Amino acid sequence: MEKAEVLKEIIETRKSTFPKNYAGGEIEDRVLEEILNSAQFAPQHKRTNPSLFRVFRGAEKDLLGRHLADIYKETVLPQNFLQKKYLDIPEKIGKSAAIITISVNFSGLVPEWEEIASTAMAVQNMYLTCNANQIGCYWSSPGLIQYLNPFLGLGENQKCLGLFYLGNI
Ligand SMILES: Cc1cc2nc3c(=O)[nH]c(=O)nc-3n(C[C@H](O)[C@H](O)[C@H](O)COP(=O)(O)O)c2cc1C
């Protein structure tokens, strides 16, 4: 296939796949590295390297799931608390082979939206690389991520923009 045809096919067949549809099992290190590597090729203004990605697998991933469930319990009004949602959060993370947290570093050198835009383009690269490697993925942005800064060790000029779920399909 011509280069342009291959690219068109990868772009046009990209879609989100949710954890309930993941087949289970680990993602090969080589493939995960390729996914992260592709993110580095997103355009950026003034080379501020705005995207911050952190991979969670194994016990660390379980900890992230439990932490998000705890955040839910601590921040929801008691009368709105749903036990099912509390249990679903770690379960959904458990069904994924890996989670990549998507965060942005605001350098102050360019407008914030430009660094968010560059980070979103980096995520698109990851989406496309997942597609080319038959890995399911999707970008989730639950309200709970606004409380993740301490867990992720993010500073005041940094913000978590979401969770990138990955799994075999
Ligand atoms: C920035 C961003 C945040 C998103 N947040 C959520 C989310 O919190 N929950 C959700 O179900 N889908 C969310 N989505 C949508 C899915 O990731 C997915 O893109 C959408 O279902 C469209 O399907 P497609 O990717 O197959 O075209 C988000 C998408 C983007 C771009």
Side-chain angles (χ1 to χ4, degrees):
M1 230 194 279
E2 286 282 325
K3 224 160 103 173
E5 272 181 71
V6 172
L7 179 63
K8 180 177 156 68
E9 203 270 336
I10 293 170
I11 290 173
E12 291 184 359
T13 60
R14 182 215 60 80
K15 61 180 173 55
S16 294
T17 314
F18 303 93
K20 63 180 166 53
N21 297 318
Y22 296 161
E26 295 300 318
I27 297 172
E28 276 179 63
D29 287 353
R30 178 191 62 80
V31 174
L32 201 53
E33 279 163 23
E34 206 50 61
I35 293 164
L36 288 164
N37 183 55
S38 69
Q40 293 180 37
F41 293 88
Q44 33 176 300
H45 190 185
K46 295 197 181 169
R47 302 213 60 78
T48 61
N49 292 320
S51 316
L52 300 170
F53 297 116
R54 183 163 154 197
V55 182
F56 289 83
R57 288 201 283 183
E60 262 209 325
K61 179 169 65 73
D62 296 341
L63 203 62
L64 173 66
R66 281 202 302 275
H67 186 65
L68 281 166
D70 288 344
I71 291 176
Y72 168 66
K73 200 172 192 173
E74 285 161 18
T75 57
V76 73
L77 291 172
Q79 62 269 32
N80 294 338
F81 177 79
L82 297 171
Q83 181 71 11
K84 182 175 172 353
K85 182 163 178 184
Y86 177 68
L87 297 175
D88 278 354
I89 295 168
E91 194 191 316
K92 201 169 126 184
I93 288 186
K95 282 189 175 147
S96 312
I99 302 287
I100 300 176
T101 53
I102 304 164
S103 305
V104 59
N105 180 69
F106 295 121
S107 65
L109 297 172
V110 296
E112 289 189 354
W113 75 264
E114 293 187 358
E115 291 180 316
I116 294 172
S118 177
T119 300
M121 293 170 97
V123 175
Q124 174 75 342
N125 281 2
M126 295 202 292
Y127 252 111
L128 296 176
T129 308
C130 282
N131 185 24
N133 286 280
Q134 288 91 48
I135 298 295
C137 63
Y138 103 101
W139 185 345
S140 171
S141 52
L144 299 175
I145 58 174
Q146 69 186 293
Y147 305 105
L148 265 187
N149 271 33
F151 183 81
L152 296 175
L154 297 178
E156 279 182 7
N157 63 325
Q158 299 172 334
K159 185 177 179 182
C160 180
L161 301 178
L163 310 172
F164 194 63
Y165 286 80
L166 300 108
N168 292 302
I169 43 176

